[in-house]
Amino acid sequence: MDRIIEVLKERIGEKRLDHTLSVVDEALGLAKRHKAPEDKVKIAALLHDFAKNLSLEESLRLTREYKLELDDVTITNTELIHGPLGARMVKEYFNIGDQEILNAITYHTTGRANMTTVEKIVFLADFIEPGREFEGIQIIRAKALVNLDEAILMALDSTIEYLLKKGSIIHVNTVHARNFLLRIGVGES
Ligand SMILES: [Fe+2]
Ligand SMILES: [Fe+2]
């Protein structure tokens, strides 16, 4: 843990390390609450933004170096590319072979259909950690304590609304994540 934090401090800087440590706290709280494997949640949360500080140019260079096959939307956006690229990098740097941890990092920004509990927790913790502020966050925070799927549906709605307002591209995994939850009846009362 200490070694990871030292490496992180150098790679992502103090400010993003603060965010990362808040995500770890938040994620561990949710893991306890929802009886998820705390060790996996902790590692994934700690490393989720490993590739975040890289420029798009550097990200693309590494993507080629690792021969990562990324879709056209991901590859033009550092906001999206840092998930899958970060997962590949931490696999290399810290010898992490656990696919669930790597998936939690890969999909922490977009979400995806049928996420595991570890993936859900990392996605949500990143969304609601105490440093985040946006309208409606309190309701999502409260919901996350009782129902992860309902909280994720709210988070996805909020993300999609935000992207629509900005006129931005919406990654298809975000839509798949939302459709999946609706199909299994989340949000119906
Ligand atoms: Fe991120
Ligand atoms: Fe993050």
Side-chain angles (χ1 to χ4, degrees):
M1 169 99 179
D2 285 351
R3 186 174 82 87
I4 294 182
I5 289 182
E6 278 313 306
V7 177
L8 278 175
K9 205 180 273 177
E10 250 177 51
R11 277 208 84 83
I12 65 176
E14 295 273 350
K15 190 162 168 266
R16 191 159 303 279
L17 183 60
D18 282 352
H19 157 71
T20 290
L21 295 177
S22 294
V23 174
V24 172
D25 275 354
E26 188 71 43
L28 282 176
L30 291 174
K32 284 195 179 81
R33 188 96 189 176
H34 297 284
K35 299 188 173 43
E38 290 174 39
D39 48 345
K40 286 193 190 198
V41 163
K42 188 174 182 178
I43 295 173
L46 204 49
L47 295 173
H48 81 282
D49 272 343
F50 193 73
K52 179 84 179 195
N53 69 321
L54 300 173
S55 66
L56 187 57
E57 198 181 18
E58 177 69 357
S59 301
L60 290 175
R61 192 187 67 72
L62 288 165
T63 298
R64 280 193 295 273
E65 190 179 308
Y66 288 126
K67 298 189 169 54
L68 273 183
E69 285 182 22
L70 301 178
D71 60 82
D72 291 350
V73 169
T74 300
I75 214 144
T76 52
N77 187 337
T78 46
E79 196 56 52
L80 296 178
I81 206 170
H82 79 280
L85 177 59
R88 184 63 186 81
M89 289 174 81
V90 304
K91 187 177 181 182
E92 200 81 13
Y93 277 66
F94 303 105
N95 204 16
I96 292 172
D98 185 308
Q99 198 55 45
E100 194 176 21
I101 293 174
L102 298 175
N103 286 341
I105 298 171
T106 298
Y107 299 106
H108 81 267
T109 312
T110 58
R112 65 162 172 167
N114 204 8
M115 290 192 274
T116 66
T117 307
V118 172
E119 290 176 57
K120 288 176 192 176
I121 286 175
V122 173
F123 173 88
L124 263 181
D126 188 38
F127 207 81
I128 60 172
E129 59 96 348
R132 300 272 196 218
E133 250 178 73
F134 57 88
E135 213 184 301
I137 193 170
Q138 297 300 349
I139 306 170
I140 304 179
R141 281 193 182 123
K143 188 57 86 177
L145 297 175
V146 288
N147 189 315
L148 290 176
D149 284 337
E150 286 182 11
I152 287 175
L153 181 59
M154 289 173 168
L156 292 167
D157 282 352
S158 160
T159 299
I160 290 170
E161 273 174 31
Y162 170 78
L163 293 172
L164 281 176
K165 263 187 209 147
K166 278 207 318 173
S168 299
I169 286 176
I170 298 168
H171 194 279
V172 69
N173 283 344
T174 304
V175 177
H176 286 321
R178 182 173 180 274
N179 286 349
F180 177 83
L181 294 174
L182 293 177
R183 275 198 286 117
I184 63 170
V186 175
E188 288 170 9
S189 51

